[in-house]
Amino acid sequence: MQTKPQFRFMDERSEPSKTKLARALLGAWYGLLGGTAFALVAMFSDRVLFPHLPMGLDWDFYTIFWAWLGPGLLLVGFLTAWWFETWTGLLTGTLAAATVLILSNMPTSAASPFQKIITFVIVFLPAMAICLPLVYFFRWLVQQTFRFRARRGGAVWIAALFLLVIVLGGAGGIGMRMPIRAVNAVTKMDTALQNTPEPGSALLKLTRLEAHRNQPFELFYAKSTYTTQGYDVRAVYEDGYLINCAVVVYSLDSPYITKCEETGP
């Protein structure tokens, strides 16, 4: 009489290390790919979405941004896929993702080290809740990739998964585009620099601006250190001349320029 084969579920101890490493490296690739797509789209989004404005590329900011996001998500993907048990992978990946998310925002913070530690403790659990869907998505991607590998024509489906990661990462990067109030502030600055300053304008105090009239420049913006209702907009000219102005933007009023400074030739 023919006996039925015996099936056993593979557990953490019986899983080959080679399989575990292959799965973890695949998760790492997904993380790095998604993080890189996010950073690249975020860097160029303002230039693409607002072609009428001479937006500059802040290479220093986005280099640091990618250095946290790219390798950070690589680590998250690796840890999430390393473990055979789903909940172990999700917990480990979520812990790592929340840590990367919080620490990536700390270098630009003016808070003291003690304040940063307190902030880390307070926001850690909410950060884990935010990161859990992303970690689950990485886990799902790896599982689907291994499932498609065993199918005929599975390479097409695996390529589709990689494309999905690029598309979703890029879609997330679009979320870092200029908010509408920043667009209004930058537009105000661009218009003011290309025309004769209005009477009473803060630009009239700049002694070297007239010599740079009609010369090309690039604009950068950041949250204002002068006012809570606006942005600091910086114009950088090709010869190194730099103008930095605080642009006040209220929701119902037209933006106006105040407190301008100039440096360079």
Side-chain angles (χ1 to χ4, degrees), residues 170-230:
I174 294 177
M176 290 191 66
R177 68 188 185 279
M178 279 194 295
I180 186 62
R181 293 177 68 245
V183 174
N184 293 338
V186 173
T187 301
K188 177 66 176 181
M189 185 73 167
D190 179 50
T191 302
L193 292 178
Q194 297 189 50
N195 296 278
T196 303
E198 301 172 354
S201 172
L203 294 174
L204 291 173
K205 299 178 181 180
L206 305 180
T207 59
R208 285 161 283 180
L209 174 59
E210 193 59 35
H212 290 81
R213 187 76 63 192
N214 299 323
Q215 293 187 20
F217 57 85
E218 292 184 334
L219 296 175
F220 302 84
Y221 77 98
K223 274 292 187 181
S224 180
T225 58
Y226 175 74
T227 173
T228 59
Q229 298 294 327

Short mmCIF file of all heavy atoms in Angstrom, two decimals, residues 170-230:
data_model
loop_
_atom_site.label_atom_id
_atom_site.label_comp_id
_atom_site.label_asym_id
_atom_site.label_seq_id
_atom_site.Cartn_x
_atom_site.Cartn_y
_atom_site.Cartn_z
N GLY A 170 8.54 57.16 -6.25
CA GLY A 170 8.48 58.45 -6.91
C GLY A 170 7.24 59.24 -6.52
O GLY A 170 7.30 60.46 -6.33
N ALA A 171 6.11 58.53 -6.39
CA ALA A 171 4.88 59.21 -5.97
C ALA A 171 5.03 59.81 -4.59
O ALA A 171 4.53 60.91 -4.31
CB ALA A 171 3.71 58.23 -6.01
N GLY A 172 5.73 59.10 -3.70
CA GLY A 172 5.98 59.65 -2.38
C GLY A 172 6.87 60.87 -2.43
O GLY A 172 6.68 61.83 -1.68
N GLY A 173 7.85 60.87 -3.36
CA GLY A 173 8.74 62.01 -3.50
C GLY A 173 8.03 63.27 -3.96
O GLY A 173 8.43 64.39 -3.60
N ILE A 174 6.96 63.11 -4.74
CA ILE A 174 6.21 64.28 -5.19
C ILE A 174 5.61 65.01 -3.99
O ILE A 174 5.41 66.23 -4.02
CB ILE A 174 5.10 63.85 -6.17
CG1 ILE A 174 5.72 63.31 -7.45
CG2 ILE A 174 4.16 65.01 -6.49
CD1 ILE A 174 4.71 62.79 -8.45
N GLY A 175 5.35 64.28 -2.91
CA GLY A 175 4.80 64.91 -1.72
C GLY A 175 5.72 65.94 -1.08
O GLY A 175 5.29 66.72 -0.23
N MET A 176 7.00 65.95 -1.47
CA MET A 176 7.95 66.93 -0.93
C MET A 176 8.03 68.20 -1.79
O MET A 176 8.89 69.04 -1.56
CB MET A 176 9.34 66.31 -0.80
CG MET A 176 9.44 65.27 0.29
SD MET A 176 11.16 64.79 0.63
CE MET A 176 11.82 66.33 1.30
N ARG A 177 7.14 68.34 -2.74
CA ARG A 177 7.13 69.56 -3.56
C ARG A 177 6.79 70.77 -2.70
O ARG A 177 6.32 70.65 -1.58
CB ARG A 177 6.10 69.42 -4.68
CG ARG A 177 4.66 69.41 -4.18
CD ARG A 177 3.70 69.09 -5.30
NE ARG A 177 2.31 69.19 -4.87
CZ ARG A 177 1.66 68.26 -4.20
NH1 ARG A 177 2.27 67.14 -3.84
NH2 ARG A 177 0.39 68.44 -3.86
N MET A 178 7.01 71.94 -3.26
CA MET A 178 6.73 73.17 -2.54
C MET A 178 5.25 73.27 -2.17
O MET A 178 4.39 73.06 -3.03
CB MET A 178 7.08 74.39 -3.40
CG MET A 178 8.53 74.77 -3.42
SD MET A 178 8.75 76.45 -4.12
CE MET A 178 8.20 76.19 -5.80
N PRO A 179 4.94 73.60 -0.92
CA PRO A 179 3.55 73.90 -0.58
C PRO A 179 3.11 75.19 -1.24
O PRO A 179 3.95 76.01 -1.64
CB PRO A 179 3.57 74.02 0.95
CG PRO A 179 4.99 74.33 1.29
CD PRO A 179 5.83 73.67 0.24
N ILE A 180 1.82 75.40 -1.35
CA ILE A 180 1.30 76.54 -2.10
C ILE A 180 1.77 77.86 -1.52
O ILE A 180 2.05 78.81 -2.26
CB ILE A 180 -0.25 76.48 -2.15
CG1 ILE A 180 -0.80 77.59 -3.06
CG2 ILE A 180 -0.84 76.58 -0.76
CD1 ILE A 180 -0.36 77.47 -4.50
N ARG A 181 1.91 77.97 -0.20
CA ARG A 181 2.38 79.22 0.39
C ARG A 181 3.83 79.49 0.01
O ARG A 181 4.23 80.64 -0.20
CB ARG A 181 2.21 79.18 1.91
CG ARG A 181 0.75 79.16 2.36
CD ARG A 181 0.60 79.05 3.86
NE ARG A 181 1.06 80.25 4.54
CZ ARG A 181 2.10 80.29 5.36
NH1 ARG A 181 2.80 79.19 5.59
NH2 ARG A 181 2.45 81.42 5.96
N ALA A 182 4.63 78.44 -0.08
CA ALA A 182 6.02 78.61 -0.51
C ALA A 182 6.08 79.02 -1.98
O ALA A 182 6.91 79.83 -2.39
CB ALA A 182 6.80 77.33 -0.28
N VAL A 183 5.18 78.46 -2.80
CA VAL A 183 5.12 78.84 -4.21
C VAL A 183 4.81 80.33 -4.34
O VAL A 183 5.43 81.05 -5.14
CB VAL A 183 4.05 78.02 -4.95
CG1 VAL A 183 3.89 78.52 -6.40
CG2 VAL A 183 4.42 76.54 -4.97
N ASN A 184 3.89 80.81 -3.52
CA ASN A 184 3.55 82.24 -3.55
C ASN A 184 4.75 83.10 -3.13
O ASN A 184 5.00 84.16 -3.72
CB ASN A 184 2.37 82.51 -2.62
CG ASN A 184 1.08 81.88 -3.12
OD1 ASN A 184 0.95 81.59 -4.31
ND2 ASN A 184 0.15 81.64 -2.22
N ALA A 185 5.49 82.64 -2.12
CA ALA A 185 6.65 83.40 -1.66
C ALA A 185 7.75 83.44 -2.72
O ALA A 185 8.33 84.50 -2.99
CB ALA A 185 7.18 82.79 -0.36
N VAL A 186 8.03 82.29 -3.32
CA VAL A 186 9.08 82.23 -4.35
C VAL A 186 8.67 83.04 -5.58
O VAL A 186 9.50 83.73 -6.20
CB VAL A 186 9.38 80.76 -4.70
CG1 VAL A 186 10.34 80.69 -5.89
CG2 VAL A 186 9.98 80.04 -3.50
N THR A 187 7.41 82.96 -5.97
CA THR A 187 6.92 83.72 -7.12
C THR A 187 7.06 85.22 -6.87
O THR A 187 7.46 85.98 -7.76
CB THR A 187 5.45 83.37 -7.40
OG1 THR A 187 5.34 81.97 -7.68
CG2 THR A 187 4.94 84.16 -8.60
N LYS A 188 6.74 85.65 -5.65
CA LYS A 188 6.89 87.06 -5.29
C LYS A 188 8.34 87.50 -5.43
O LYS A 188 8.64 88.57 -5.97
CB LYS A 188 6.40 87.28 -3.86
CG LYS A 188 6.56 88.70 -3.34
CD LYS A 188 5.69 89.67 -4.10
CE LYS A 188 5.78 91.06 -3.49
NZ LYS A 188 4.92 92.04 -4.21
N MET A 189 9.27 86.68 -4.94
CA MET A 189 10.69 87.01 -5.01
C MET A 189 11.16 87.04 -6.46
O MET A 189 11.91 87.95 -6.87
CB MET A 189 11.48 85.98 -4.21
CG MET A 189 12.95 86.26 -4.09
SD MET A 189 13.27 87.63 -2.95
CE MET A 189 15.05 87.42 -2.72
N ASP A 190 10.74 86.08 -7.26
CA ASP A 190 11.15 86.02 -8.66
C ASP A 190 10.67 87.26 -9.41
O ASP A 190 11.43 87.87 -10.18
CB ASP A 190 10.57 84.75 -9.29
CG ASP A 190 10.93 84.63 -10.76
OD1 ASP A 190 12.12 84.77 -11.09
OD2 ASP A 190 10.02 84.38 -11.57
N THR A 191 9.43 87.65 -9.20
CA THR A 191 8.88 88.83 -9.87
C THR A 191 9.60 90.10 -9.43
O THR A 191 9.92 90.97 -10.26
CB THR A 191 7.38 88.96 -9.57
OG1 THR A 191 6.71 87.77 -9.99
CG2 THR A 191 6.78 90.16 -10.27
N ALA A 192 9.88 90.20 -8.14
CA ALA A 192 10.53 91.40 -7.61
C ALA A 192 11.94 91.56 -8.15
O ALA A 192 12.39 92.69 -8.43
CB ALA A 192 10.56 91.34 -6.09
N LEU A 193 12.68 90.48 -8.34
CA LEU A 193 14.05 90.56 -8.81
C LEU A 193 14.14 90.87 -10.30
O LEU A 193 15.17 91.35 -10.78
CB LEU A 193 14.79 89.25 -8.51
CG LEU A 193 15.04 88.94 -7.04
CD1 LEU A 193 15.72 87.60 -6.88
CD2 LEU A 193 15.87 90.04 -6.38
N GLN A 194 13.08 90.60 -11.02
CA GLN A 194 13.10 90.85 -12.47
C GLN A 194 12.49 92.19 -12.84
O GLN A 194 12.44 92.53 -14.03
CB GLN A 194 12.35 89.73 -13.19
CG GLN A 194 12.99 88.36 -13.01
CD GLN A 194 12.38 87.30 -13.91
OE1 GLN A 194 12.23 87.51 -15.11
NE2 GLN A 194 12.02 86.17 -13.33
N ASN A 195 12.04 92.93 -11.85
CA ASN A 195 11.44 94.24 -12.11
C ASN A 195 12.03 95.28 -11.16
O ASN A 195 12.69 94.95 -10.18
CB ASN A 195 9.92 94.17 -11.92
CG ASN A 195 9.24 93.25 -12.91
OD1 ASN A 195 8.98 93.63 -14.04
ND2 ASN A 195 8.97 92.02 -12.48
N THR A 196 11.78 96.54 -11.48
CA THR A 196 12.25 97.63 -10.62
C THR A 196 11.53 97.56 -9.27
O THR A 196 10.30 97.42 -9.23
CB THR A 196 11.97 98.99 -11.27
OG1 THR A 196 12.60 99.04 -12.56
CG2 THR A 196 12.48 100.12 -10.39
N PRO A 197 12.28 97.60 -8.17
CA PRO A 197 11.64 97.49 -6.85
C PRO A 197 10.59 98.57 -6.63
O PRO A 197 10.74 99.72 -7.05
CB PRO A 197 12.81 97.65 -5.88
CG PRO A 197 14.01 97.23 -6.66
CD PRO A 197 13.75 97.67 -8.06
N GLU A 198 9.51 98.20 -5.97
CA GLU A 198 8.44 99.14 -5.66
C GLU A 198 8.91 100.11 -4.58
O GLU A 198 9.80 99.79 -3.79
CB GLU A 198 7.21 98.37 -5.19
CG GLU A 198 6.67 97.37 -6.20
CD GLU A 198 5.58 96.51 -5.62
OE1 GLU A 198 5.33 96.62 -4.40
OE2 GLU A 198 4.98 95.72 -6.38
N PRO A 199 8.32 101.29 -4.51
CA PRO A 199 8.68 102.24 -3.44
C PRO A 199 8.47 101.62 -2.06
O PRO A 199 7.45 100.99 -1.80
CB PRO A 199 7.71 103.41 -3.67
CG PRO A 199 7.35 103.32 -5.12
CD PRO A 199 7.33 101.86 -5.46
N GLY A 200 9.48 101.76 -1.21
CA GLY A 200 9.40 101.21 0.13
C GLY A 200 9.81 99.75 0.22
O GLY A 200 9.81 99.17 1.32
N SER A 201 10.17 99.13 -0.92
CA SER A 201 10.56 97.73 -0.91
C SER A 201 11.88 97.53 -0.18
O SER A 201 12.79 98.37 -0.25
CB SER A 201 10.70 97.20 -2.35
OG SER A 201 11.26 95.90 -2.37
N ALA A 202 12.00 96.41 0.51
CA ALA A 202 13.24 96.08 1.22
C ALA A 202 14.39 95.88 0.25
O ALA A 202 15.57 96.00 0.62
CB ALA A 202 13.04 94.82 2.07
N LEU A 203 14.10 95.59 -1.02
CA LEU A 203 15.15 95.40 -2.02
C LEU A 203 15.88 96.68 -2.35
O LEU A 203 17.01 96.64 -2.86
CB LEU A 203 14.54 94.80 -3.29
CG LEU A 203 13.98 93.38 -3.18
CD1 LEU A 203 13.26 92.99 -4.46
CD2 LEU A 203 15.08 92.38 -2.86
N LEU A 204 15.28 97.83 -2.09
CA LEU A 204 15.93 99.10 -2.37
C LEU A 204 17.17 99.32 -1.52
O LEU A 204 18.05 100.13 -1.88
CB LEU A 204 14.95 100.25 -2.15
CG LEU A 204 13.79 100.35 -3.16
CD1 LEU A 204 12.79 101.41 -2.73
CD2 LEU A 204 14.32 100.63 -4.56
N LYS A 205 17.29 98.62 -0.41
CA LYS A 205 18.44 98.76 0.47
C LYS A 205 19.66 97.97 -0.03
O LYS A 205 20.74 98.11 0.53
CB LYS A 205 18.07 98.29 1.88
CG LYS A 205 16.94 99.09 2.52
CD LYS A 205 16.60 98.56 3.89
CE LYS A 205 15.44 99.34 4.52
NZ LYS A 205 15.09 98.82 5.87
N LEU A 206 19.46 97.16 -1.05
CA LEU A 206 20.56 96.33 -1.57
C LEU A 206 21.34 97.14 -2.61
O LEU A 206 20.83 97.47 -3.68
CB LEU A 206 20.00 95.05 -2.20
CG LEU A 206 19.11 94.20 -1.27
CD1 LEU A 206 18.61 92.96 -2.00
CD2 LEU A 206 19.86 93.80 0.00
N THR A 207 22.59 97.43 -2.30
CA THR A 207 23.38 98.34 -3.14
C THR A 207 23.89 97.69 -4.42
O THR A 207 24.19 98.39 -5.39
CB THR A 207 24.58 98.86 -2.33
OG1 THR A 207 25.38 97.75 -1.89
CG2 THR A 207 24.10 99.65 -1.11
N ARG A 208 24.00 96.37 -4.44
CA ARG A 208 24.57 95.70 -5.61
C ARG A 208 23.52 95.02 -6.48
O ARG A 208 23.85 94.35 -7.46
CB ARG A 208 25.61 94.67 -5.16
CG ARG A 208 26.92 95.28 -4.72
CD ARG A 208 27.73 94.32 -3.87
NE ARG A 208 27.19 94.25 -2.50
CZ ARG A 208 27.70 93.48 -1.54
NH1 ARG A 208 28.76 92.73 -1.79
NH2 ARG A 208 27.18 93.48 -0.33
N LEU A 209 22.26 95.14 -6.13
CA LEU A 209 21.21 94.47 -6.90
C LEU A 209 21.08 95.03 -8.31
O LEU A 209 20.95 94.27 -9.28
CB LEU A 209 19.87 94.59 -6.16
CG LEU A 209 18.65 94.04 -6.91
CD1 LEU A 209 18.84 92.56 -7.23
CD2 LEU A 209 17.38 94.26 -6.10
N GLU A 210 21.15 96.35 -8.44
CA GLU A 210 20.94 96.96 -9.76
C GLU A 210 21.99 96.50 -10.77
O GLU A 210 21.71 96.34 -11.96
CB GLU A 210 20.97 98.48 -9.63
CG GLU A 210 20.46 99.21 -10.87
CD GLU A 210 19.03 98.83 -11.24
OE1 GLU A 210 18.22 98.58 -10.32
OE2 GLU A 210 18.74 98.75 -12.46
N ALA A 211 23.21 96.27 -10.28
CA ALA A 211 24.28 95.82 -11.18
C ALA A 211 24.03 94.39 -11.68
O ALA A 211 24.63 93.97 -12.67
CB ALA A 211 25.63 95.89 -10.46
N HIS A 212 23.16 93.65 -10.99
CA HIS A 212 22.86 92.27 -11.38
C HIS A 212 21.49 92.14 -12.04
O HIS A 212 21.02 91.03 -12.26
CB HIS A 212 22.91 91.35 -10.15
CG HIS A 212 24.30 91.16 -9.61
ND1 HIS A 212 24.90 92.08 -8.78
CD2 HIS A 212 25.20 90.16 -9.79
CE1 HIS A 212 26.12 91.64 -8.46
NE2 HIS A 212 26.33 90.48 -9.06
N ARG A 213 20.88 93.27 -12.35
CA ARG A 213 19.58 93.24 -13.00
C ARG A 213 19.68 92.51 -14.34
O ARG A 213 20.64 92.69 -15.09
CB ARG A 213 19.09 94.66 -13.22
CG ARG A 213 17.66 94.75 -13.73
CD ARG A 213 16.66 94.47 -12.64
NE ARG A 213 16.75 95.48 -11.58
CZ ARG A 213 16.14 95.35 -10.41
NH1 ARG A 213 15.42 94.28 -10.15
NH2 ARG A 213 16.26 96.29 -9.50
N ASN A 214 18.72 91.65 -14.63
CA ASN A 214 18.63 90.87 -15.87
C ASN A 214 19.67 89.76 -15.97
O ASN A 214 19.81 89.14 -17.03
CB ASN A 214 18.74 91.78 -17.11
CG ASN A 214 17.62 92.81 -17.18
OD1 ASN A 214 16.49 92.51 -16.81
ND2 ASN A 214 17.95 94.02 -17.61
N GLN A 215 20.41 89.51 -14.89
CA GLN A 215 21.32 88.37 -14.88
C GLN A 215 20.59 87.14 -14.34
O GLN A 215 19.71 87.26 -13.48
CB GLN A 215 22.54 88.68 -14.02
CG GLN A 215 23.45 89.77 -14.57
CD GLN A 215 24.73 89.91 -13.76
OE1 GLN A 215 25.12 89.00 -13.04
NE2 GLN A 215 25.37 91.07 -13.89
N PRO A 216 20.95 85.95 -14.84
CA PRO A 216 20.25 84.73 -14.39
C PRO A 216 20.55 84.40 -12.93
O PRO A 216 21.64 84.68 -12.42
CB PRO A 216 20.78 83.65 -15.32
CG PRO A 216 22.11 84.16 -15.80
CD PRO A 216 21.96 85.65 -15.86
N PHE A 217 19.59 83.81 -12.26
CA PHE A 217 19.75 83.41 -10.87
C PHE A 217 18.91 82.17 -10.59
O PHE A 217 18.03 81.81 -11.39
CB PHE A 217 19.34 84.56 -9.94
CG PHE A 217 17.92 85.04 -10.14
CD1 PHE A 217 16.86 84.41 -9.51
CD2 PHE A 217 17.66 86.12 -10.98
CE1 PHE A 217 15.55 84.84 -9.71
CE2 PHE A 217 16.36 86.57 -11.18
CZ PHE A 217 15.30 85.92 -10.55
N GLU A 218 19.19 81.54 -9.48
CA GLU A 218 18.40 80.40 -9.02
C GLU A 218 17.85 80.70 -7.64
O GLU A 218 18.48 81.40 -6.84
CB GLU A 218 19.26 79.12 -8.97
CG GLU A 218 19.69 78.61 -10.33
CD GLU A 218 20.44 77.29 -10.23
OE1 GLU A 218 21.05 77.02 -9.17
OE2 GLU A 218 20.41 76.51 -11.20
N LEU A 219 16.67 80.17 -7.36
CA LEU A 219 15.98 80.44 -6.10
C LEU A 219 15.91 79.20 -5.23
O LEU A 219 15.70 78.09 -5.72
CB LEU A 219 14.57 80.97 -6.37
CG LEU A 219 14.46 82.31 -7.09
CD1 LEU A 219 13.02 82.65 -7.39
CD2 LEU A 219 15.11 83.41 -6.26
N PHE A 220 16.07 79.41 -3.93
CA PHE A 220 15.95 78.36 -2.92
C PHE A 220 15.06 78.89 -1.80
O PHE A 220 15.03 80.09 -1.55
CB PHE A 220 17.32 77.99 -2.36
CG PHE A 220 18.31 77.53 -3.39
CD1 PHE A 220 19.06 78.45 -4.13
CD2 PHE A 220 18.51 76.18 -3.63
CE1 PHE A 220 19.97 78.03 -5.08
CE2 PHE A 220 19.43 75.75 -4.57
CZ PHE A 220 20.16 76.67 -5.30
N TYR A 221 14.37 78.02 -1.14
CA TYR A 221 13.49 78.47 -0.06
C TYR A 221 13.65 77.56 1.16
O TYR A 221 14.07 76.40 1.05
CB TYR A 221 12.02 78.49 -0.51
CG TYR A 221 11.38 77.12 -0.56
CD1 TYR A 221 10.58 76.65 0.49
CD2 TYR A 221 11.59 76.27 -1.65
CE1 TYR A 221 10.01 75.40 0.45
CE2 TYR A 221 11.02 75.02 -1.69
CZ TYR A 221 10.23 74.59 -0.66
OH TYR A 221 9.67 73.34 -0.69
N ALA A 222 13.30 78.11 2.32
CA ALA A 222 13.32 77.35 3.57
C ALA A 222 12.38 78.05 4.55
O ALA A 222 12.02 79.22 4.36
CB ALA A 222 14.73 77.27 4.15
N LYS A 223 11.98 77.33 5.57
CA LYS A 223 11.18 77.95 6.62
C LYS A 223 11.91 79.15 7.19
O LYS A 223 13.10 79.08 7.49
CB LYS A 223 10.88 76.93 7.72
CG LYS A 223 9.67 76.05 7.47
CD LYS A 223 8.38 76.88 7.53
CE LYS A 223 7.16 75.98 7.45
NZ LYS A 223 5.91 76.78 7.50
N SER A 224 11.20 80.23 7.37
CA SER A 224 11.85 81.48 7.78
C SER A 224 12.30 81.43 9.23
O SER A 224 11.62 80.89 10.10
CB SER A 224 10.89 82.65 7.59
OG SER A 224 11.50 83.85 7.98
N THR A 225 13.48 81.98 9.46
CA THR A 225 13.98 82.16 10.83
C THR A 225 13.62 83.53 11.38
O THR A 225 13.92 83.84 12.53
CB THR A 225 15.52 82.00 10.85
OG1 THR A 225 16.10 82.96 9.96
CG2 THR A 225 15.92 80.60 10.40
N TYR A 226 12.97 84.34 10.53
CA TYR A 226 12.62 85.71 10.91
C TYR A 226 11.14 85.83 11.27
O TYR A 226 10.77 86.59 12.17
CB TYR A 226 12.97 86.66 9.77
CG TYR A 226 12.54 88.09 10.00
CD1 TYR A 226 13.22 88.91 10.90
CD2 TYR A 226 11.45 88.63 9.30
CE1 TYR A 226 12.82 90.22 11.11
CE2 TYR A 226 11.05 89.94 9.52
CZ TYR A 226 11.73 90.73 10.41
OH TYR A 226 11.34 92.03 10.62
N THR A 227 10.28 85.11 10.57
CA THR A 227 8.84 85.18 10.80
C THR A 227 8.25 83.78 10.80
O THR A 227 8.74 82.89 10.10
CB THR A 227 8.15 86.04 9.72
OG1 THR A 227 6.73 85.96 9.88
CG2 THR A 227 8.49 85.54 8.32
N THR A 228 7.20 83.61 11.57
CA THR A 228 6.51 82.31 11.60
C THR A 228 5.48 82.20 10.48
O THR A 228 4.87 81.14 10.31
CB THR A 228 5.80 82.12 12.95
OG1 THR A 228 4.86 83.19 13.15
CG2 THR A 228 6.79 82.10 14.09
N GLN A 229 5.28 83.28 9.74
CA GLN A 229 4.28 83.30 8.69
C GLN A 229 4.91 83.50 7.31
O GLN A 229 4.46 84.32 6.52
CB GLN A 229 3.26 84.42 8.96
CG GLN A 229 2.48 84.26 10.22
CD GLN A 229 1.56 83.05 10.19
OE1 GLN A 229 1.06 82.68 9.13
NE2 GLN A 229 1.35 82.42 11.33
N GLY A 230 5.98 82.77 7.04
CA GLY A 230 6.59 82.95 5.74
C GLY A 230 7.80 82.07 5.53
O GLY A 230 8.04 81.10 6.27
#
